[in-house]
């Protein structure tokens, strides 16, 4: 009798757990099967009992100014619609050769509530010299976490983190930005998903010369999901740009004094000092309690040279025209003030704590005029431009031009590839039209709102050109065991490959 009561109790508790806590939606969809639920409208708010997370990076800090001793940060995306991750500490099992401890994380998310998957940082502190870090779920299931030591040194005290480039072809913007960064004392960390091969070779030369560090930004995959899932790529804000910027923050947190989160087409010309480091010191002297310096992006037009031999900073600056339109800013921060970030800034500090710099603005060169090729995007998104209204010092331009010529002349590789660089835009109008239809049209031009407002254009069709092969990032993907309430996935052994093409 007691036995039967116990059986009945077990049966009832299973029933209560399955049917009361997780009522069936009645759509016959079986969450225990590893099948994809397609939500092309990005508006299905279904909660999954086992949700999925993709881990981008795990860093260990022996001594962090802001995170403490033996700190660990996990940068990932999580499914914010299935579970409230800020309410769900992750259990980390850390072992060194003599000891073992269990730690729990504090989690924070950064970004829009309108995308299912959101950039997330989990922080905790472990023990000295960890050899392994594992995630442990509530049933004791474990997964080994690949981790790396966060950087303690960097090529410069100022790092510019450039959000991921895909189908990258506008090498002119890179050449402008990289020499400006060098002139003003910054190193650039550039994430790439895909890029025209000749442009990639150009970047490699700048990496060899110490101007930049290239990094791979990969597509998200759940290779062996073990339970139902929704693909993350169409359900994360803009290819998880915030994740890349947050990875860059966590990588250099202890290694630099300032981090600028810019796009390739956001160029800053300092106004009060000779270099960025002194410029930012000056700004923080004005507002010592600021959590970030926010630089508005003023739209600019310029004439884009079609070959590297035509490239002249004097001519480019001579052709720059300013628009009265200043778009939402990008920030420069002291890394101890930020534990995560979004595309523009972190949502964890009140708006008033950001120092909105009135001048200078970022010179935003999103829409250059081509010497060759058509100007169709100008018809789609109209803007007016007038004379240049930002301060760009002539001596800086002369020095930048000299550095450019020296670099160009001294590299055999650049001499070999320069005529293979694309002389007109191919992907820019395709991508621009797609982004416009998907997002800008209702965000800026007040057109009809699409269903579901996760800013994402993963379905954009990108045509391929055999005459301009592309280099794409790839990796070995791994899925951990089925865990409750979240299964984790990650990638290792990232590589560049010429076998994929030009895709997002
Ligand atoms: C960053 O995280 C650390 C460790 O949890 C905490 O002490 C610090 O206050 C956080 N900083 C910010 C700006 O949130
Ligand atoms: C998630 O939990 C946190 C902490 O309890 C709470 O502040 C936040 O409002 C919750 N978010 C949602 C979307 O419910
Ligand atoms: C392991 O961690 C403990 C606690 O932090 C520390 O006392 C010990 O020295 C560490 N062992 C090694 C080999 O580093
Ligand atoms: C630059 O623009 C600002 C704001 O639009 C305006 O007040 C200022 O007079 C302009 N300066 C020049 C030199 O055009
Ligand atoms: C680069 O080469 C060109 C053409 O040979 C020459 O005119 C120019 O002076 C050189 N510049 C530098 C900085 O080496």
């Amino acid at each position: 009798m007691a036995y039967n009561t116990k059986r009945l109790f077990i049966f009832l508790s299973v029933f209560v757990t399955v049917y009361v806590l997780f009522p069936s939606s009645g759509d016959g969809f079986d969450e225990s099967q590893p099948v994809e639920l397609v939500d092309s409208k990005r508006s299905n708010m279904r909660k999954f009992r086992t949700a999925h997370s993709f881990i981008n990076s795990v860093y260990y800090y022996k001594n962090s100014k802001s995170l403490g001793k033996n700190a660990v940060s996990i940068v990932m995306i999580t499914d914010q619609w299935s579970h409230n991750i800020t309410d769900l500490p992750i259990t980390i099992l850390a072992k060194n050769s003599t000891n073992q401890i269990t730690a729990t994380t504090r989690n924070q998310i950064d970004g829009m509530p309108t995308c299912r998957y959101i950039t997330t940082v989990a922080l905790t502190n472990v023990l000295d010299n960890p050899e392994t870090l594992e995630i442990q779920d509530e049933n004791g299931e474990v997964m080994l976490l690949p981790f790396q030591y966060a950087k303690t040194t960097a090529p410069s005290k100022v790092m510019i983190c450039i959000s991921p480039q895909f189908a990258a072809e506008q090498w002119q913007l890179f050449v402008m930005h990289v020499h400006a960064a060098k002139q003003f004392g910054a190193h650039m960390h550039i994430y790439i998903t895909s890029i025209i091969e000749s442009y990639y070779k150009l970047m490699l030369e700048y990496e060899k010369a110490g101007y930049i560090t290239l990094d791979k930004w990969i597509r998200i995959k759940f290779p062996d999901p073990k339970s139902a899932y929704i693909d993350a790529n169409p359900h994360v804000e803009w290819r998880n740009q915030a994740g890349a910027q947050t990875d860059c923050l966590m990588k250099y947190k202890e290694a630099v004094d300032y981090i600028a989160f810019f796009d390739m087409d956001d160029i800053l010309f300092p106004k009060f000092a000779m270099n960025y480091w002194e410029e930012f010191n000056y700004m923080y002297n004005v507002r010592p309690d600021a959590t970030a310096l926010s630089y508005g992006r003023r739209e600019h037009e310029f004439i884009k040279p079609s070959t590297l031999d035509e490239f002249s900073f004097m001519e480019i600056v001579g052709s720059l025209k300013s628009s009265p339109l200043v778009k939402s800013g990008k920030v420069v921060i002291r890394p101890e003030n930020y534990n995560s970030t979004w595309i523009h800034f972190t949502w964890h500090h009140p708006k008033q704590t950001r120092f909105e710099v009135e001048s200078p603005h970022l010179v935003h060169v999103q829409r250059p005029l081509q010497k060759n090729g058509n100007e169709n995007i100008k018809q789609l998104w109209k803007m007016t431009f007038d004379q240049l209204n930002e301060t760009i010092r002539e001596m800086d331009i002369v020095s930048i031009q000299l550095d450019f010529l020296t670099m160009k002349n001294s590299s055999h590789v650049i001499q070999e590839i320069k005529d293979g660089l694309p002389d007109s835009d191919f992907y820019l109008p395709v991508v621009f039209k797609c982004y416009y239809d998907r997002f800008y049209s209702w965000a800026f031009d007040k057109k009809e709102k699409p269903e579901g407002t996760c800013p994402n254009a993963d379905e954009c069709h990108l045509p391929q050109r055999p005459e301009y092969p592309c280099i794409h990032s790839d990796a070995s993907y791994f899925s951990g065991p089925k865990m409750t309430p979240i299964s984790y996935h990650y990638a290792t052994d990232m590589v560049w490959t010429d076998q994929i093409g030009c895709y997002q």
Side-chain angles (χ1 to χ4, degrees):
M1 188 62 201
Y3 176 68
N4 276 344
T5 311
K6 194 171 155 197
R7 287 248 309 233
L8 184 64
F9 181 72
I10 290 172
F11 174 79
L12 278 177
S13 40
V14 168
F15 178 85
V16 167
T17 312
V18 174
Y19 293 97
V20 179
L21 290 182
F22 302 103
S24 158
S25 58
D27 59 7
F29 182 77
D30 182 358
E31 284 193 21
S32 66
Q33 296 305 308
V35 290
E36 181 182 351
L37 177 66
V38 175
D39 171 23
S40 51
K41 292 182 173 153
R42 302 184 179 94
S43 55
N44 182 338
M45 303 284 285
R46 183 191 193 106
K47 292 183 189 309
F48 289 83
R49 246 173 287 165
T50 292
H52 297 271
S53 166
F54 187 83
I55 297 176
N56 290 105
S57 52
V58 183
Y59 294 108
Y60 165 77
Y61 311 76
K62 200 163 184 52
N63 263 306
S64 162
K65 286 189 286 296
S66 51
L67 305 176
K69 269 192 72 167
N70 297 320
V72 169
S73 73
I74 305 173
V75 181
M76 58 191 166
I77 51 159
T78 54
D79 175 348
Q80 64 174 335
W81 292 353
S82 289
H83 303 284
N84 184 342
I85 188 75
T86 50
D87 252 357
L88 273 180
I90 302 169
T91 302
I92 304 288
L93 215 60
K95 295 177 189 160
N96 66 17
S97 55
T98 54
N99 294 54
Q100 146 167 2
I101 66 152
T102 302
T104 51
T105 63
R106 186 178 64 71
N107 306 333
Q108 67 183 55
I109 57 175
D110 227 312
M112 307 269 267
T114 55
C115 295
R116 176 177 285 272
Y117 291 93
I118 189 161
T119 304
T120 307
V121 173
L123 297 169
T124 192
N125 298 83
V126 294
L127 39 58
D128 292 333
N129 308 313
E131 284 177 2
T132 62
L133 298 175
E134 289 166 298
I135 291 185
Q136 186 174 47
D137 84 345
E138 54 196 51
N139 303 320
E141 197 74 70
V142 292
M143 186 190 86
L144 200 62
L145 278 177
F147 72 97
Q148 44 187 313
Y149 279 61
K151 290 187 186 297
T152 51
T153 59
S156 162
K157 290 188 282 193
V158 178
M159 186 63 59
I160 301 178
C161 300
I162 300 287
S163 56
Q165 308 287 300
F166 71 97
E169 62 182 357
Q170 292 197 79
W171 52 270
Q172 298 92 335
L173 300 187
F174 165 70
V175 173
M176 281 170 78
H177 206 154
V178 75
H179 286 286
K182 174 74 183 287
Q183 171 70 18
F184 304 121
H187 185 85
M188 294 168 91
H189 189 95
I190 304 174
Y191 292 90
I192 303 225
T193 300
S194 62
I195 180 168
I196 302 281
E197 189 177 32
S198 51
Y199 180 11
Y200 166 73
K201 288 181 175 162
L202 179 70
M203 279 202 185
L204 278 186
E205 281 301 288
Y206 279 89
E207 185 174 47
K208 252 201 280 171
Y211 288 74
I212 64 169
T213 298
L214 282 179
D215 206 348
K216 299 162 191 92
W217 193 243
I218 55 169
R219 262 186 99 68
I220 302 155
K221 288 181 189 165
F222 305 147
D224 181 13
K226 302 185 180 83
S227 68
Y229 66 100
I230 286 185
D231 183 12
N233 297 291
H235 297 278
V236 71
E237 194 177 358
W238 301 132
R239 301 164 290 108
N240 194 19
Q241 275 186 43
Q245 297 293 33
T246 301
D247 174 66
C248 198
L249 165 68
M250 298 325 266
K251 192 188 288 290
Y252 293 107
K253 208 170 201 301
E254 304 306 315
V256 297
D257 292 341
Y258 292 105
I259 299 180
F261 299 109
F262 292 166
D263 275 333
M264 193 65 94
D265 58 9
D266 296 323
I267 304 177
L268 183 65
F269 292 89
K271 183 171 173 182
F272 302 101
M274 294 310 291
N275 60 52
Y276 290 139
W277 190 75
E278 286 170 7
E279 179 92 358
F280 302 150
N281 284 346
Y282 172 82
M283 287 297 171
Y284 269 99
N285 276 335
V286 178
R287 273 282 298 273
D289 59 340
T291 56
L293 309 175
S294 176
Y295 287 96
R297 291 172 299 157
R298 188 193 281 273
E299 295 295 341
H300 281 79
E301 188 179 70
F302 75 97
I303 299 169
K304 191 162 73 171
S306 49
T307 66
L308 201 67
D309 285 330
E310 271 177 19
F311 205 98
S312 150
F313 278 86
M314 284 76 124
E315 274 184 33
I316 287 174
V317 172
S319 76
L320 272 174
K321 286 181 170 177
S322 301
S323 159
L325 187 62
V326 179
K327 293 209 294 197
S328 62
K330 294 275 182 171
V331 295
V332 174
I333 57 122
R334 289 181 160 158
E336 59 272 26
N337 288 340
Y338 261 49
N339 285 341
S340 66
T341 192
W342 173 59
I343 296 172
H344 291 274
F345 44 77
T346 183
W347 295 36
H348 290 274
H349 296 303
K351 186 177 188 298
Q352 320 77 267
T353 66
R354 286 198 300 274
F355 182 10
E356 300 286 343
V357 178
E358 258 174 52
S359 175
H361 295 104
L362 283 162
V363 174
H364 191 225
V365 283
Q366 190 175 25
R367 304 196 316 160
L369 294 169
Q370 300 188 77
K371 284 197 174 167
N372 296 330
N374 73 56
E375 305 295 351
N376 289 345
I377 23 171
K378 307 288 167 331
Q379 305 308 316
L380 198 57
W381 194 6
K382 297 197 171 73
M383 274 179 208
T384 53
F385 295 96
D386 213 327
Q387 75 197 62
L388 180 65
N389 187 359
E390 291 294 327
T391 314
I392 301 179
R393 291 177 295 234
E394 199 172 333
M395 59 175 181
D396 287 334
I397 296 308
V398 171
S399 162
I400 286 174
Q401 175 70 9
L402 187 63
D403 188 48
F404 162 69
L405 289 178
T406 310
M407 178 71 186
K408 187 175 75 139
N409 284 11
S410 62
S411 162
H412 296 296
V413 176
I414 293 180
Q415 292 303 321
E416 272 165 34
I417 58 142
K418 67 182 168 56
D419 296 327
L421 291 166
D423 64 356
S424 60
D425 297 333
F426 177 78
Y427 287 110
L428 180 70
V430 174
V431 171
F432 196 89
K433 170 86 171 67
C434 179
Y435 272 44
Y436 184 86
D437 292 346
R438 190 69 200 95
F439 182 72
Y440 296 151
S441 58
W442 62 266
F444 301 125
D445 284 354
K446 309 282 182 278
K447 302 222 168 110
E448 196 186 331
K449 203 167 187 162
E451 220 173 320
T453 50
C454 177
N456 178 294
D458 194 58
E459 74 273 29
C460 290
H461 172 69
L462 295 182
Q464 304 295 308
R465 288 181 298 178
E467 70 277 24
Y468 285 108
C470 222
I471 300 294
H472 202 291
S473 61
D474 200 8
S476 301
Y477 288 89
F478 179 82
S479 288
K482 184 175 174 186
M483 284 186 166
T484 315
I486 295 173
S487 294
Y488 296 89
H489 312 266
Y490 61 81
T492 58
D493 306 314
M494 290 187 201
V495 290
W496 299 116
T497 173
D498 57 7
Q499 299 298 304
I500 295 178
C502 258
Y503 296 98
Q504 297 192 54

